[in-house]
Amino acid sequence: SKPKAWLVIGIPTIPRRDGTVYLHRTLKTITDQLPTDPNDPFFGKVLIAVFNNRPGAHPEFEVAKKAGLSGPYAPYFKFFEHNVPDPEPQNHDQGEANKPGWRVRQQTREMVVMLRASQDLGDHYLFMEDDFELCPHAMRALHYLISKADAYNPGWIGIRVSYGMCGLLFQMSDIPTIASYLEEHAARRPPDHLVPEFIMSETQQSRDYLRGRRNMSF
C-alpha cells in the first residue's frame, strides 16, 4: 500500500455562482513547489486532498481532477466527492455573525466529513481553501516550521500560518478529536471560531484534552 504522506493539504471546494475559477490556480501554486523526480527526498511526501462538496455541479473540479490524475503530479493528488445531507432541511435560518445559520452549519458538517476522510492519510494536516494561493517557497517554510515546533514544543496542538480556516496546521493524531469537536458544537459557533477556540483551550472540554499543550504561529 502507498505510504502515508508527511503532509496532507485538505482543500474543500464548491462552484461559484458567477463562474469565477479559483481551484486550478490554487492547485498550481502547490504543484509548482513539488518535485517530479522520484530521487528527490521530498517526492511523494505531500498529498493534496481535494473535496468537492457539490458532486455533479462543479465543472472546474472535474477539469482539475482529470488534469491532476493524468499529469506529472498525479502521485500527489487524491480527489473526493461528498454530498453531505442536511439533517435540518426545514430549518434554513440565516443566523448571525457569531451564531451560525444553516449554510454555515452545513459548511461545518462538510468539514467534518473532509477531516475524517483524511485522518489516516498522513502525519500532518494543513487546512487550505480553494481560493487561497500558496506563497512561493511555502513548502520549504512548512518543513522548517514543523521541525522547529517539534524541537521546541513536541506536543504542539496547532500552528497558524494564515488567517480564517486557511493555514491552520495540525498533527494528524489530533484530527479525529477536532472533527468531533466541530460536529458537537456546529450549532454554537462557525468553524473558523470553533477551531481557534479549541486549540487555545478556551473551553473546559478543550482544556481537558490539551492539558497545557501549546499552539503557535509563524
Side-chain angles (χ1 to χ4, degrees):
S1 62
K2 186 177 179 179
K4 286 185 177 182
W6 166 76
L7 176 67
V8 177
I9 303 175
I11 306 177
T13 183
I14 59 172
R16 302 310 197 269
R17 292 180 180 178
D18 62 0
T20 303
V21 173
Y22 292 108
L23 183 61
H24 172 75
R25 188 167 65 242
T26 297
L27 295 178
K28 189 175 186 304
T29 65
I30 302 173
T31 57
D32 281 351
Q33 301 182 42
L34 298 174
T36 56
D37 181 357
N39 295 314
D40 190 297
F42 212 59
F43 180 80
K45 298 298 185 181
V46 174
L47 179 66
I48 308 167
V50 186
F51 291 80
N52 176 17
N53 290 315
R54 301 295 182 270
H58 195 344
E60 190 190 1
F61 172 85
E62 299 300 333
V63 172
K65 180 180 179 180
K66 182 177 180 180
L69 295 180
S70 62
Y73 297 101
Y76 293 102
F77 280 109
K78 193 172 182 66
F79 291 88
F80 299 81
E81 295 191 76
H82 294 292
N83 189 4
V84 181
D86 180 358
E88 305 174 287
Q90 75 289 347
N91 185 21
H92 279 192
D93 56 308
Q94 295 305 305
E96 302 171 2
N98 295 311
K99 178 71 173 177
W102 76 274
R103 291 185 187 277
V104 177
R105 295 195 300 272
Q106 180 65 16
Q107 180 187 5
T108 303
R109 285 189 287 269
E110 291 166 353
M111 193 172 296
V112 169
V113 170
M114 177 179 71
L115 292 176
R116 288 176 173 160
S118 304
Q119 66 187 27
D120 296 321
L121 300 178
D123 299 323
H124 303 91
Y125 186 88
L126 177 68
F127 278 100
M128 273 195 69
E129 297 181 21
D130 65 355
D131 56 354
F132 276 61
E133 296 182 21
L134 199 66
C135 297
H137 310 296
M139 285 299 171
R140 292 181 181 272
L142 288 169
H143 186 269
Y144 167 76
L145 69 92
I146 289 175
S147 298
K148 190 169 184 178
D150 287 341
Y152 280 81
N153 292 290
W156 57 272
I157 175 59
I159 306 174
R160 179 178 284 284
V161 298
S162 186
Y163 57 92
M165 284 301 297
C166 189
L168 283 168
L169 179 64
F170 296 97
Q171 301 190 66
M172 193 67 84
S173 57
D174 292 309
I175 287 297
T177 300
I178 292 169
S180 295
Y181 192 85
L182 285 170
E183 184 175 52
E184 180 179 349
H185 299 283
R188 182 168 60 81
R189 298 185 76 182
D192 56 336
H193 293 195
L194 288 173
V195 173
E197 168 189 285
F198 181 83
I199 66 175
M200 294 169 63
S201 299
E202 293 182 1
T203 64
Q204 188 61 52
Q205 182 179 356
S206 60
R207 286 192 291 272
D208 289 344
Y209 176 78
L210 295 175
R211 298 183 179 277
R213 293 168 61 192
R214 300 286 298 278
N215 72 87
M216 291 168 281
S217 61
F218 182 83

